Amino acid sequence: MGRYQAGIQTEARIIDATRELLAEGGLKATTLKAICDRAEVRAGSFYNLFDSKEEAVIRVVREAIRAVDPDPEASGKDTVDALVGAYIRFFEEQPQLAKVYVLAALSGEGAKNGARRRFLRHHTRRVERFAAAMLRENQKLDSDAAQANAELLLGALDGLAFRWALDDDFPFPSYAREAADRLS
């Protein structure tokens, strides 16, 4: 096996280990040592592939979000309902990863490794997709109004997600659907 293949397999083991640890115990249980132990790699090998633990965590979360995207190719066919539904499904089907996503987006740790910039880019792309869907669904909107509506809707959804991350009993799906009905 060539060096390149070994690196690919090591990276896959690290991502698998990160995903398993996040699902089992959340962010606190997902330490660098736990990832390396689970993946059966040394810290040096980890750092050859990732700049930080947060980078591996963000990659797992990004994969989870992509998995429930109603239009993964961003072909411009998604609707506001489909986008909101995908966000709700992410929280319902992968609650541990959803919590990691919400808390990591707000974490001060992210500033050290560029995670904050990645979350901001992700948010900006989501706003663009929501605004485009709103424009397709309502020709009376202009692009500025669609952008503002998309920002407001995503702000509401993210705020509700934050509330849910703090309180497991908070009925996120019903409030998310209500926000979408009122703001789209």
Side-chain angles (χ1 to χ4, degrees):
M1 170 182 356
R3 282 183 120 147
Y4 182 71
Q5 269 309 92
I8 290 172
Q9 289 178 353
T10 301
E11 183 178 21
R13 285 198 327 268
I14 290 169
I15 292 300
D16 289 344
T18 304
R19 187 180 304 109
E20 291 167 9
L21 289 162
L22 287 169
E24 290 169 12
L27 198 53
K28 281 191 176 190
T30 311
T31 64
L32 179 63
K33 181 178 181 347
I35 293 169
C36 291
D37 288 349
R38 177 80 54 106
E40 299 179 346
V41 300
R42 293 178 185 209
S45 295
F46 178 93
Y47 283 117
N48 282 335
L49 297 165
F50 298 93
D51 291 335
S52 66
K53 172 190 86 165
E54 287 78 13
E55 184 179 340
V57 167
I58 288 168
R59 183 138 144 223
V60 168
V61 171
R62 191 179 312 136
E63 289 173 5
I65 291 169
R66 230 182 334 237
V68 296
D69 191 331
D71 184 15
E73 304 303 316
S75 62
K77 296 178 183 171
D78 43 18
T79 65
V80 174
D81 284 343
L83 290 165
V84 171
Y87 196 56
I88 291 169
R89 272 192 314 282
F90 174 57
F91 282 81
E92 291 178 322
E93 295 172 6
Q94 301 187 54
Q96 203 65 42
L97 288 178
K99 276 189 182 171
V100 170
Y101 174 75
V102 170
L103 298 174
L106 298 172
S107 169
E109 296 175 33
K112 290 187 271 184
N113 65 12
R116 188 170 286 161
R117 283 192 315 274
R118 284 191 287 271
F119 275 106
L120 183 58
R121 276 194 313 265
H122 169 68
H123 175 78
T124 301
R125 284 191 298 268
R126 286 174 60 216
V127 168
E128 290 167 359
R129 286 184 66 189
F130 271 74
M134 288 174 178
L135 284 169
R136 283 192 297 278
E137 293 174 19
N138 182 354
Q139 282 76 36
K140 293 180 182 178
L141 280 179
D142 63 30
S143 60
D144 289 340
Q147 184 82 13
N149 289 355
E151 217 33 277
L152 290 169
L153 177 54
L154 282 167
L157 292 173
D158 291 343
L160 293 168
F162 180 68
R163 170 66 161 58
W164 171 85
L166 297 173
D167 177 4
D168 291 335
D169 295 326
F170 181 72
F172 173 76
S174 61
Y175 278 98
R177 286 185 186 93
E178 180 70 25
D181 289 345
R182 289 185 187 202
L183 297 170
S184 62

